Amino acid sequence: MDDPYAPARDALDGDGLAGTGDGDARDSVDSDPAVLAARLDDADPLSAFADRYHVPEGVLYMDGNSLGPASDAALASLDRVVEEWRERLIGGWTDADPPWFSVGERLGDALAPLVGADPAEVVVGNSITVNLHTLIGTFLDELLAGNGPERAGSAAADGRWDPAVDPAVLVNELDFPSDHYAVRAQLRQRGIDPDEKLRVVESRDGRTIDPRDIEAALDAHDDVGIVWMPTALYRSGQLFDVARIAAAAHEAGAYAGFDAAHSAGAVPHEFGAAGVDFAVWCTYKYLNAGPGSVGALFVAERHHGLTPALAGWWGHEKATQFEMNTTYTPADSAGAWQIGTPPLLAAAPLEGSIELLRQAGIRRVRRKSLALTDYLIALVDDRLPEISVGTPREHAARGGHVALEHPDAERLSAALRDRGVVVDFRPPNVVRVCPAAPYTSFADVLEVVDEIEAILDSGAHEAYATNEGGVT
């Protein structure tokens, strides 16, 4: 068949698991979820990649949207840098192969195709929250200096901003909390009251954000200078229409920035074509670069040459960086938003993990991810009436994980982990299940649903306490 994942899509879009056959004798066979999973796995062009990732035996790992597993390629690139440190010492900055000195730009070049950017527009460095601070601060400074975004064909975005007007930042109520902390801090540091100027788009259903409400907020408030949205919501997995939001922001005379932490590496983006001004993301989720791995950022070429709000020596132009001038000259690229010396051991695994993802192909990864989540949702619909799916069913609005809603989600998550199914809980009622495409099979998804069904049928989750805290 042309599309090896079509049966999974048909299971969700058609008549459920009973309607995944081809109208012949296979109908009754394909209605068996195990047979369907085996059929999908046999036809899966990415199935061999699972052997490249390290998941402990007996574990069903469905939490790659929080922390991706180690791969042989990531460990090899880490081992190489450790060996270079052992053998070359400080010489590694110039004599390693490749030299450490250019690690931020080099890995940025490798990441750029995943987000639809030119190489000079992406750099690796800092952490995601530090990158958020410096980029929000940079563009607030531009607005306070009287500079707004320019976009051909949009009369409102004429590049001018009234410096007498304190700019507001538009966010949404379902954001990851750290984003609000950082935006509020950057407003406060400029003497702007965040209670007045942090404009929050509310959710209609507690799960998703309607893009019409973002546009309505821009119509209602003429002081919004930055629209800051996620590419995907961390709890429900809703995928945003980046191009639509960026166009609405520019039409209103605002910059468009995005937090891509919950989609980079699972969803191909086109930041350049969409007109995005700036973006940040981490590399330890779908990019599988390890706990606390280095952050990444995108700044559109039209903004290169700006002075970052948080300037540091590693963002200095490379040609004169070691002249140690006391006057800061920012690099004429996204590299200007680097701050301190890059953490080599936190960046090294990313090299291998990007290469593995490049071999798989981000668009093939996305196709399989959608098929896996199609299959998961179809199974839940068919077998778990106690559970609601809080993730949009439309492909264009779905990221890489599925939010399963249940009143006892916290206890259900704990019971699953004790049975070797690693998921996470997000208050108040969500079990996040992430069947990441590079290392998850359709049989794995079926086994997860089997475990959930067994727990709920037996009431085993009721033996677990709640509100124990901890990291999930």
Side-chain angles (χ1 to χ4, degrees), residues 147-457:
N147 301 319
E150 296 183 8
R151 181 177 171 86
S154 293
D158 59 5
R160 296 192 298 273
W161 182 269
D162 184 351
V165 175
D166 285 341
V169 180
L170 186 67
V171 295
N172 78 80
E173 69 169 333
L174 301 181
D175 281 323
F176 193 75
S178 187
D179 290 36
H180 287 208
Y181 304 160
V183 173
R184 282 180 166 273
Q186 290 302 314
L187 289 169
R188 284 196 304 271
Q189 289 176 16
R190 285 155 182 81
I192 301 172
D193 183 354
D195 290 336
E196 295 291 330
K197 293 292 187 172
L198 186 69
R199 309 238 182 262
V200 182
V201 177
E202 295 182 354
S203 171
R204 300 185 184 194
D205 58 10
R207 296 167 168 169
T208 61
I209 298 296
D210 192 314
R212 293 172 295 181
D213 293 334
I214 298 173
E215 293 160 350
L218 289 169
D219 288 340
H221 302 287
D222 60 7
D223 61 349
V224 174
I226 296 174
V227 175
W228 178 254
M229 293 288 155
T231 52
L233 288 175
Y234 80 96
R235 185 183 285 112
S236 72
Q238 177 196 4
L239 187 68
F240 282 39
D241 186 335
V242 169
R244 176 175 177 174
I245 294 169
H250 292 155
E251 181 65 27
Y255 292 111
F258 291 87
D259 179 343
H262 289 86
S263 63
V267 177
H269 288 297
E270 296 295 339
F271 287 164
V276 173
D277 292 296
F278 61 100
V280 302
W281 60 97
C282 57
T283 62
Y284 44 78
K285 300 182 188 296
Y286 294 108
L287 288 165
N288 308 304
S293 55
V294 69
L297 62 86
F298 161 87
V299 179
E301 183 180 9
R302 59 187 174 274
H303 302 306
H304 294 175
L306 299 181
T307 299
L310 303 180
W313 87 301
W314 213 261
H316 197 281
E317 65 175 9
K318 284 290 184 273
T320 60
Q321 183 173 340
F322 279 88
E323 292 179 7
M324 300 302 180
N325 297 318
T326 56
T327 300
Y328 172 68
T329 304
D332 191 22
S333 68
W337 281 268
Q338 298 173 97
I339 300 172
T341 304
L344 260 294
L345 300 184
L350 181 59
E351 179 181 348
S353 65
I354 294 173
E355 173 56 23
L356 200 51
L357 189 57
R358 187 197 65 77
Q359 292 174 21
I362 185 62
R363 283 171 172 72
R364 290 202 302 173
V365 165
R366 174 62 171 164
R367 285 195 292 272
K368 182 180 177 183
S369 173
L370 288 169
L372 287 164
T373 50
D374 280 344
Y375 184 53
L376 173 58
I377 295 170
L379 287 169
V380 171
D381 287 346
D382 190 57
R383 295 174 51 188
L384 302 176
E386 311 96 319
I387 286 180
S388 299
V389 174
T391 301
R393 293 166 183 264
E394 302 83 4
H395 282 186
R398 189 196 315 160
H401 74 266
V402 176
L404 303 184
E405 298 177 348
H406 188 274
D408 279 333
E410 184 175 6
R411 295 196 288 183
L412 176 58
S413 297
L416 284 166
R417 287 195 296 274
D418 279 353
R419 287 160 175 76
V421 181
V422 182
V423 295
D424 64 18
F425 163 69
R426 288 292 179 266
N429 66 339
V430 169
V431 178
R432 297 194 308 179
V433 180
C434 178
Y439 50 86
T440 305
S441 70
F442 291 88
D444 292 337
V445 172
L446 176 58
E447 190 172 351
V448 169
V449 174
D450 286 343
E451 292 287 353
I452 295 174
E453 185 177 41
I455 290 168
L456 293 177
D457 285 351

Side-chain angles (χ1 to χ4, degrees), residues 72-141:
D72 55 7
L75 294 174
S77 56
L78 174 60
D79 287 346
R80 191 197 75 236
V81 173
V82 170
E83 182 64 19
E84 290 168 344
W85 174 30
R86 178 186 293 115
E87 297 297 327
R88 296 183 182 275
L89 297 171
I90 198 170
W93 290 104
T94 54
D95 300 334
D97 184 18
W100 301 345
F101 182 62
S102 59
V103 64
E105 290 79 6
R106 178 167 52 82
L107 293 179
D109 290 355
L111 281 175
L114 303 183
V115 295
D118 290 336
E121 295 179 312
V122 179
V123 74
V124 164
N126 316 315
S127 71
I128 182 173
T129 304
V130 170
N131 287 334
L132 172 53
H133 273 281
T134 187
L135 286 169
I136 289 289
T138 298
F139 287 92
L140 283 174
D141 288 344

